[in-house]
Amino acid sequence: MKTKTAKKTNPKKTASKKAGPKTATTQKAQEPTPKNLDIYGAKPLAWSRVLKQLGSNPQGTFWLATTRPDGRPHVAGIGALWVDGKIYFVSGARTRKSRNLAANPRCAFSVSLTGIDVVLEGRAIRVTDRPTLLRLAKRYAAQGWPARVSGDAFTAEYSAPSAGPPPWNLYVVRPRTAFGVASSDPPGATRWQFASTRASA
């Protein structure tokens, strides 16, 4: 009588099939690369020090810097939201900052957080997909501004004077580079480079 023999298994193949996703590698890849800019011996600042405050939607004013077509700078205070590692803000199509961004989307934000001053650089892209507009309208409403979606923009009974008349376009900026200078202990100055957006504009 013939007996069935068990098939030999390759332990290397079995182990590779059972191996789950490398979450540690993924999490590490999402962290920006720091460079210490301090000249007095302080250690690099932790990005988490900035991220924690941005995620809680700080009350400090965000200042948006854009460039006019003739090369002159323009700075305006805006209400911004930090969501999923990106900055969202609104602006009327006829405002100076929106016209500047239409010609040159490169921009920078500055904000004074508790114990640290931060600058974030990137490119502004107008958001027109309805799911994102609806999601951000809810976020703004939760912050006290009753925004609602109208077509591919926002409308409301009121907004900041600097936003211009409605409708207001929604923009998103994914930071490419960030700078932080501590204004309280622990001291330091650091530049962070975001790996996923390192390509030059």
Side-chain angles (χ1 to χ4, degrees):
M1 184 175 179
K2 293 182 179 180
T3 57
K4 293 182 179 180
T5 56
K7 292 182 179 179
K8 293 182 178 180
T9 58
N10 188 329
K12 291 184 179 179
K13 289 185 178 179
T14 304
S16 63
K17 287 181 180 178
K18 291 182 179 179
K22 297 179 180 180
T23 54
T25 303
T26 303
Q27 290 174 355
K28 187 176 181 181
Q30 293 174 349
E31 287 291 316
T33 303
K35 180 178 180 180
N36 195 354
L37 302 181
D38 187 81
I39 59 174
Y40 300 107
K43 294 180 180 179
L45 301 173
W47 173 244
S48 58
R49 183 172 173 181
V50 177
L51 191 59
K52 183 178 180 180
Q53 294 194 57
L54 289 176
S56 63
N57 292 317
Q59 298 300 312
T61 300
F62 279 80
W63 296 93
L64 170 64
T66 58
T67 306
R68 297 173 188 261
D70 63 4
R72 289 183 296 152
H74 178 267
V75 178
I78 60 167
L81 291 179
W82 177 267
V83 181
D84 299 331
K86 298 180 284 289
I87 303 168
Y88 289 88
F89 67 97
V90 298
S91 179
R94 290 182 288 172
T95 61
R96 168 46 59 191
K97 53 186 175 295
S98 289
R99 286 181 287 156
N100 289 350
L101 291 172
N104 180 359
R106 298 178 183 88
C107 59
F109 296 85
S110 63
V111 60
S112 275
L113 304 175
T114 302
I116 186 169
D117 296 326
V118 178
V119 172
L120 303 132
E121 300 178 342
R123 293 170 62 95
I125 300 172
R126 188 182 167 201
V127 178
T128 57
D129 67 282
R130 191 169 182 81
T132 303
L133 289 169
L134 290 170
R135 183 166 62 97
L136 266 295
K138 289 182 180 179
R139 296 293 287 262
Y140 274 111
Q143 295 292 314
W145 180 48
R148 59 185 183 275
V149 178
S150 176
D152 59 1
F154 287 160
T155 189
E157 287 68 32
Y158 62 87
S159 186
S162 62
W168 297 290
N169 295 331
L170 177 67
Y171 293 88
V172 62
V173 175
R174 185 187 295 275
R176 293 170 177 248
T177 308
F179 299 86
V181 178
S183 56
S184 66
D185 291 334
T190 301
R191 182 187 72 196
W192 296 278
Q193 193 80 32
F194 294 80
S196 61
T197 52
R198 275 184 180 173
S200 58

